Amino acid sequence: MNQSGMRGKSRLHPTDPPSLAERIRLEMESFTPSEKRAAHLLLSHYPFAGLDTVAEFASRAGISAPSVLRFVTRLGFGGFPDFQKHLREELEAQLLSPLAKSGPSDKGQGAPALASFAEAVIGNLKATVENIAPAEFEAVVALLSDPRRHIHFTGGRFTGALARYAESHFRIVRSHVDFIEGQPALWRDRMIEISRKDVIVAFDIRRYQEDVTALCEAASKQGATVVLLTDPWLSPIARVARHVLPAHIVAPSNWDSSAGLLLLTEALVAAVTKRLWETAKPRMEAVERLRGERS
Amino acid sequence: MNQSGMRGKSRLHPTDPPSLAERIRLEMESFTPSEKRAAHLLLSHYPFAGLDTVAEFASRAGISAPSVLRFVTRLGFGGFPDFQKHLREELEAQLLSPLAKSGPSDKGQGAPALASFAEAVIGNLKATVENIAPAEFEAVVALLSDPRRHIHFTGGRFTGALARYAESHFRIVRSHVDFIEGQPALWRDRMIEISRKDVIVAFDIRRYQEDVTALCEAASKQGATVVLLTDPWLSPIARVARHVLPAHIVAPSNWDSSAGLLLLTEALVAAVTKRLWETAKPRMEAVERLRGERS
DNA sequence: CAGGTTTTGAAATTTCTGATACAGCTTTTC
DNA sequence: GAAAAGCTGTATCAGAAATTTCAAAACCTG
């Protein structure tokens, strides 16, 4: 009857994913008539039917509330809330399983892998563009085009490279541009120079990095304006950020894709370069000249 | 910014499918501090965090129950159950459609700069994928998946950031991975360690940088295998490269776009991670663990 | 077809959740 | 720097939800 051992939430072994639906299907035979009605309702709208109230569920299944309770008890749950919690967790685990799979199932052929990956990335880019508030983008462009402001770029473990990419471009387009390492030890003393005139452009996506957040919070406290490029779930930096540009990052990979962030970065570079063209042009030419001389 | 008219549940215009998450993101600015905490919790575990009880939600967000209630009221819901019902319906609708992406929100207007730039970038990605020989891609994946080889990433002024991006991922997936600065002074002495077992992955596009070329030529002379990610006009490094992956880079900007290179990089990371999964997984988990301990 | 067993639902009960009033605190404004 | 406005948490309450009780109904079984 009751296998009292599986109470609570703590069943997240990756080796233990027999969906509840599957179990119900197997045990279907042994159910009483009204239990079968409950089971069928649940399976036909799995798992959402189970997320309603007992009364609602009972009514939709055409049975009484106690029958529903007996049904979930029979499945081994301590009660209806316990049952719902299980459904939610199962749904969540299934919906956003970043790793947990990728077994040696299908051997990847090169071209399809690349093509499908590209397709996903392109989807991300489209979604990213559609979800950016034009005013927000424009505001950031204006901010970064203000020659009186100092611009600092920073980022996390992976996104730091994007910050560097941005910095290496903006450094040529305009002055007062630099890159700040994420580690607190490396910026603690530079923080005294950060003031109301400064702009921090932070890159931070999933597995948000605490040191980057700390940097932005410190800078914000000093009155600096924070611009954040992040994922749709928003880094905690968003709390102190004046402008937020979210990019979609989910790709068929064990890693997130930063292509959307790069797109935004390059679009910002292009827009700011255009806006500051009068001053940017001679700077770019100067850089070009210096390159030539060096070699 | 009053949305006084949208009380209650009846906002289901078919032309109006902006996920609640989207709306929260837009209104984030106008939230009070504790509302922001609620918003962040919800977005970071969207939408599951909202399916719990008020008390649970409040506790997880670090705020009080009434603040949570005020939050959902502010979003225009009649109460917490109403709010949950909306989340469930949204989730169900989203889950039932295979991939509810590319929302036909509003196209055309918006930031024309951003949109047209994105269009160009997307075009680049498609062209890039089409012009990559599958065998070439596969060969590179195989090369980078060979645990006996040492992998060195390098790049130029701008593309160096991409090389770093690649390095920071591969470093986790496998061992014997590093980054080499482009300046000759910085690699001259390291060159003695480069041998037949080594792989150099170089990023180099237009305005090809001589020091990177020099590095690759030196490495090649020592017997190392050179992989090149470049533009369609091929960096001079191509002469010594064993494998070449060209990406389209032209964008409506004064600068070239590196999105194609990033796409290839991420696709390589994904493919190699998959191929080395047995050894990569424990490495990724170890990194994850270390991150957790640090904080 | 009676006796016993199982299944079921109405109603009573209990538990817990969502909602509200109010007071303390913080921030803003003049 | 004081007053006002806004935010937030504690305490409390009302009500709904889950659960239990219990007797009627259905179903076997011999």
Side-chain angles (χ1 to χ4, degrees), chain A residues 12-15 17 93-94 96-103 253-254, chain B residues 277 281 284-285:
Chain A
L12 289 175
H13 305 276
T15 63
Q94 180 205 327
L96 45 125
S97 60
L99 38 135
K101 47 181 185 180
S102 169
S253 165
N254 296 98
Chain B
W277 186 242
K281 186 183 178 192
M284 290 174 69
E285 287 168 347

Side-chain angles (χ1 to χ4, degrees), chain B residues 166-225:
Chain B
E167 184 249 0
S168 62
H169 282 85
F170 276 106
R171 174 176 290 288
I172 293 175
V173 174
R174 48 163 297 161
S175 53
H176 306 311
V177 170
D178 67 6
F179 178 84
I180 305 182
E181 293 283 349
Q183 291 77 35
L186 296 171
W187 54 259
R188 277 273 153 71
D189 42 345
R190 291 174 71 176
M191 197 47 68
I192 57 171
E193 295 176 6
I194 306 285
S195 72
R196 219 163 292 107
K197 285 204 165 182
D198 290 48
V199 176
I200 311 286
V201 181
F203 292 75
D204 193 31
I205 62 175
R206 222 149 47 164
R207 275 64 183 299
Y208 311 112
Q209 223 162 300
E210 289 175 14
D211 48 12
V212 180
T213 304
L215 189 159
C216 292
E217 284 173 345
S220 173
K221 202 162 285 176
Q222 306 247 14
T225 303

Side-chain angles (χ1 to χ4, degrees), chain A residues 53-54 66 69 79-81:
Chain A
T53 67
V54 170
L69 271 301
F80 199 74

Side-chain angles (χ1 to χ4, degrees), chain A residues 193-256:
Chain A
E193 296 176 6
I194 306 282
S195 71
R196 220 163 288 106
K197 282 204 167 182
D198 290 49
V199 177
I200 310 286
V201 180
F203 292 75
D204 191 31
I205 62 175
R206 212 135 70 152
R207 274 61 186 296
Y208 312 112
Q209 223 164 298
E210 288 174 17
D211 46 13
V212 181
T213 303
L215 190 160
C216 292
E217 282 173 348
S220 169
K221 203 161 283 176
Q222 306 250 14
T225 303
V226 176
V227 174
L228 171 66
L229 278 79
T230 184
D231 55 41
W233 303 281
L234 302 191
S235 151
I237 295 173
R239 281 202 293 256
V240 299
R242 185 108 165 69
H243 301 289
V244 178
L245 300 178
H248 288 231
I249 61 170
V250 178
S253 165
N254 296 98
W255 306 92
D256 288 324

Side-chain angles (χ1 to χ4, degrees), chain A residues 76-95:
Chain A
F77 296 100
F80 199 74
D82 198 8
F83 165 72
Q84 288 190 319
K85 188 167 195 171
H86 175 93
L87 288 180
R88 283 202 309 267
E89 287 174 353
E90 197 178 86
L91 185 60
E92 184 169 7
Q94 180 205 327
L95 199 68

